[in-house]
């Protein structure tokens, strides 16, 4: 059904495509610069992840793959110890959100929040397992409890504005 | 949904994922270089990031200027208290003068170390999700930067280069447990190892450990690089803030406050060459 939906999607409005690209660029630059630090204590959101979840909720699968892949590569190019982790994670999360939104959930805010929470927890736990769990037990658990889980929750909450922006654009198409 | 797993799109996703996994394994095995796709995208984005960082720096300065004005009265009261405390510490004045002389000497590091080859660089991105405050600079292999090059500011040691792209490089800081370097207490010459921990990184500090129980390290001492490993000797790292012993009571460790405020760094110097570089392999790092 989801595939059919994406196939019958009408011609994309170039202004909306440009607006989406612009939003992605701005979010990626804000994530990596210090102009907008919205951290709350140790909870630091991964803004591009919130964006990709909100975006994939209403986009077609190709857009979700491309958006996830490019955002992930951009994050990989600045993230310490990431190799290609973000590129893979963002792309798979985008596809998973697209599939879940089109097959398992209704496209409402509640569903978006549930999906965002699941995806961001999976992302931060994987980040912890792959890159931060090899230190001492105290440090390792400290990262998980103090940084990873609060950041995952914060990231999930930040999907709300992106959900409404993406919904607005999807209605305009 | 089952149709999806038979679709062409699924095969494309699977191929991309497998390619990225292969590239990750390659990057991990080779080490020291950004993965090809990160390198390409990083190189394309670098000039924009530099421009954005410059603008964000101006904006931050402007915001800070305004907030500083609002907090001036509160700060005045705090400063008065600090002044009283400083008066009590007048007896330590002589020691402070000595430390200042040492610090002034460091400012002439370039004159004193003609063998050092510097490459100035600007911070263009920070990994906000890394509690150890790693960051990316706008210089890479095209500027002669290599993996494990030392990164400093005029205040002291920052860390070293971990991944090098064409026009960008990633820097791991002294707050990280991934950095392990030989260090000395400058006053007593007691030697130990410096490496970060998560708990200390939260306070912006790092750990100087493996000090013998008979060492004379004291609070306020300066810690410098010993020259073992990848760093040149004598680079300032920080001051000893507190001293404790490990849980088996076999050795002493100290919490060290780096001279460099890593959260506020905007530009750095990369030491691309110095006499004795490459004499020893990295111990414990990476």
């Amino acid at each position: 059904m989801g595939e059919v939906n994406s196939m019958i999607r009408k011609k994309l409005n170039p202004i909306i495509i440009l607006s989406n690209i612009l939003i992605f660029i701005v979010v990626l630059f804000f994530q990596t610069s210090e102009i907008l630090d919205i951290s709350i204590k140790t909870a630091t959101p991964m803004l591009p992840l919130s964006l990709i979840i909100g975006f994939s909720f209403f986009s077609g699968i190709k857009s979700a793959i491309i958006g996830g892949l490019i955002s992930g590569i951009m994050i990989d190019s600045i993230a310490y110890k990431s190799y290609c982790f973000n590129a893979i994670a963002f792309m798979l999360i985008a596809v998973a959100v697209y599939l879940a939104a089109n097959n398992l959930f209704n496209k409402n805010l509640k569903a978006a929040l549930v999906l965002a929470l699941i995806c961001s927890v999976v992302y931060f736990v994987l980040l912890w397992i792959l890159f931060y769990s090899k230190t001492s037990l105290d440090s390792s658990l400290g990262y998980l409890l103090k940084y990873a889980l609060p950041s995952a929750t914060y990231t999930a909450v930040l999907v709300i504005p992106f959900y409404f922006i993406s919904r607005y654009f999807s209605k305009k198409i | 949904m089952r149709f999806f797993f038979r679709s062409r799109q699924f095969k494309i996703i699977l191929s991309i994922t497998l390619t990225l996994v292969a590239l990750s394994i390659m990057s991990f095995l080779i080490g020291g270089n950004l993965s090809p796709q990160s390198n390409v995208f990083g190189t394309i984005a670098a000039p924009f990031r530099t421009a954005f960082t410059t603008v964000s720096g101006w904006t931050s300065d402007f915001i800070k200027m305004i907030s500083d004005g609002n907090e001036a009265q509160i700060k005045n009261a705090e400063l008065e208290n600090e002044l009283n405390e400083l008066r009590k510490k007048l007896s330590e004045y002589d020691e402070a003068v000595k430390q200042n002389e040492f610090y002034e000497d460091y400012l002439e590091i370039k004159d004193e170390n003609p063998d050092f080859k510097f490459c100035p660089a600007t911070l263009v991105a920070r990994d906000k999700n890394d509690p150890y405050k790693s960051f990316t600079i706008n210089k890479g292999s095209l500027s002669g930067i290599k993996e494990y090059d030392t990164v400093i500011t005029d205040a002291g040691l920052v860390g070293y280069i971990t991944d090098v792209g064409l026009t960008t490089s990633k820097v791991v800081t002294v707050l990280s447990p991934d950095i392990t370097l030989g260090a000395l207490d400058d006053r007593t010459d007691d030697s130990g190892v410096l490496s970060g921990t998560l708990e200390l990184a939260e306070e912006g500090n790092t750990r100087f450990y493996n000090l013998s129980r008979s060492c004379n390290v004291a609070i306020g001492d300066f810690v410098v690089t010993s020259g073992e490993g990848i760093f040149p000797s004598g680079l300032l790292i920080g001051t000893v803030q507190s001293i404790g012993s490990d849980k088996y009571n076999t050795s002493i460790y100290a919490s060290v406050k780096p001279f460099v405020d890593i959260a506020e760094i905007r530009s750095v110097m990369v030491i691309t060459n110095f006499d004795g570089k490459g004499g020893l392999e990295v111990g414990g790092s990476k």
Side-chain angles (χ1 to χ4, degrees):
Chain A
M1 192 66 185
E3 285 76 21
V4 177
N5 278 343
S6 69
M7 276 178 215
I8 60 169
R9 215 168 263 272
K10 290 146 248 168
K11 245 184 161 181
L12 290 172
N13 183 338
I15 294 170
I16 289 170
I17 296 173
L18 278 175
S19 307
N20 274 318
I21 292 171
L22 196 67
I23 290 169
F24 267 88
I25 291 170
V26 169
V27 166
L28 281 165
F29 277 110
F30 273 121
Q31 175 67 27
T32 55
S33 82
E34 285 163 359
I35 194 167
L36 181 73
D37 190 4
I38 52 171
S39 303
I40 301 173
K41 290 189 176 176
T42 54
T44 308
M46 177 57 90
L47 267 178
L49 187 63
S50 309
L51 171 62
I52 202 71
I53 292 169
F55 175 76
S56 307
F57 212 71
F58 295 101
S59 74
I61 190 157
K62 280 179 195 161
S63 314
I65 294 171
I66 294 168
L69 191 62
I70 293 177
S71 309
I73 292 172
M74 291 300 278
I75 295 294
D76 277 333
S77 71
I78 63 102
Y80 173 54
K81 292 200 289 191
S82 68
Y83 304 108
C84 304
F85 169 74
N86 288 293
I88 299 170
F90 275 48
M91 185 185 69
L92 294 182
I93 284 172
V95 173
V97 169
Y98 165 82
L99 288 173
N102 286 286
N103 298 285
L104 302 173
F105 290 93
N106 292 321
K107 286 189 178 179
N108 56 29
L109 182 62
K110 213 167 130 184
L113 277 171
V114 170
L115 268 174
L117 190 63
I118 295 168
C119 292
S120 48
V121 167
V122 168
Y123 171 83
F124 278 98
V125 169
L126 278 174
L127 194 72
W128 169 66
I129 291 170
L130 291 172
F131 304 116
Y132 291 99
S133 62
K134 286 157 207 130
T135 51
S136 68
L137 187 68
D138 285 351
S139 276
S140 169
L141 283 177
Y143 178 81
L144 180 69
L145 300 173
K146 271 189 179 173
Y147 288 86
L149 295 179
S151 300
T153 314
Y154 196 1
T155 303
V157 170
L158 284 178
V159 88
I160 296 170
F162 297 121
Y163 167 87
F164 285 110
I165 292 169
S166 299
R167 192 177 72 166
Y168 173 78
F169 283 142
S170 77
K171 281 181 181 170
K172 288 270 173 191
I173 292 170
Chain B
M1 180 123 68
R2 64 199 162 95
F3 295 116
F4 172 75
F5 293 104
R6 292 181 200 159
S7 66
R8 198 165 62 95
Q9 281 148 349
F10 177 70
K11 284 170 194 160
I12 292 170
I13 293 165
L14 198 67
S15 330
I16 296 172
T17 308
L18 290 175
T19 311
L20 289 172
V21 169
L23 286 171
S24 297
I25 294 168
M26 255 173 59
S27 302
F28 177 76
L29 292 176
I30 297 167
N33 290 306
L34 286 173
S35 55
Q37 76 281 8
S38 294
N39 205 349
V40 170
F41 277 80
T43 305
I44 294 167
F48 300 105
R49 280 205 179 112
T50 308
F52 197 78
T53 309
T54 311
V55 175
S56 72
W58 293 339
T59 315
S60 302
D61 287 345
F62 182 69
I63 292 167
K64 205 177 171 195
M65 203 172 71
I66 293 169
S67 64
D68 282 354
N70 291 337
E71 288 170 7
Q73 285 188 324
I74 304 163
K75 273 212 164 172
N76 270 345
E78 283 173 3
L79 284 171
E80 269 183 18
N81 286 337
E82 273 181 35
L83 192 66
N84 289 333
E85 279 179 31
L86 285 171
R87 280 180 185 140
K88 286 177 196 167
K89 289 180 181 174
L90 203 62
S91 58
E92 294 169 14
Y93 177 74
D94 284 341
E95 197 184 340
V97 167
K98 276 182 195 169
Q99 287 177 344
N100 278 338
E101 281 168 1
F102 178 79
Y103 192 73
E104 279 170 18
D105 287 343
Y106 167 72
L107 291 174
E108 290 151 13
I109 190 165
K110 197 175 177 181
D111 297 333
E112 288 175 5
N113 297 280
D115 56 312
F116 282 14
K117 287 214 169 95
F118 290 110
C119 174
T122 308
L123 184 149
V124 287
R126 195 182 279 282
D127 184 359
K128 286 184 181 171
N129 290 95
D130 181 28
Y132 308 112
K133 298 184 170 58
S134 61
F135 57 88
T136 304
I137 54 171
N138 66 342
K139 294 282 168 68
S141 56
L142 289 179
S143 306
I145 290 175
K146 293 181 286 296
E147 190 187 12
Y148 300 130
D149 279 353
T150 305
V151 181
I152 61 167
T153 69
D154 55 357
L157 181 70
V158 175
Y160 71 86
I161 302 284
T162 53
D163 295 300
V164 187
L166 278 174
T167 58
T168 58
S169 304
K170 293 182 190 176
V171 179
V172 61
T173 70
V174 286
L175 304 182
S176 170
D178 290 339
I179 205 167
T180 309
L181 66 111
L184 289 175
D185 182 309
D186 184 64
R187 185 179 58 86
T188 64
D189 273 352
D190 285 311
S191 66
V193 179
L194 194 114
S195 187
T197 68
L198 185 72
E199 299 74 30
L200 290 176
E202 284 169 17
E203 301 158 15
N205 292 351
T206 186
R207 195 169 61 130
F208 183 31
Y209 65 102
N210 266 4
L211 292 161
S212 77
R213 289 204 62 79
S214 56
C215 74
N216 294 313
V217 174
I219 291 170
D221 282 358
F222 283 12
V223 180
V224 298
T225 53
S226 66
E228 290 171 22
I230 56 172
F231 299 99
S233 61
L235 288 179
L236 275 175
I237 300 170
T239 48
V240 174
Q241 291 258 298
S242 62
I243 297 165
S245 73
D246 66 11
K247 53 184 169 185
Y248 304 109
N249 220 17
T250 52
S251 64
I252 302 277
Y253 71 84
S255 168
V256 173
K257 182 92 186 160
F259 286 116
V260 181
D261 186 353
I262 287 165
E264 297 294 323
I265 291 173
R266 289 205 190 150
S267 53
V268 293
M269 282 280 185
V270 182
I271 302 175
T272 54
N273 207 359
F274 61 91
D275 282 350
K277 188 185 176 190
L280 285 164
E281 288 298 313
V282 182
S285 309
K286 215 155 181 185

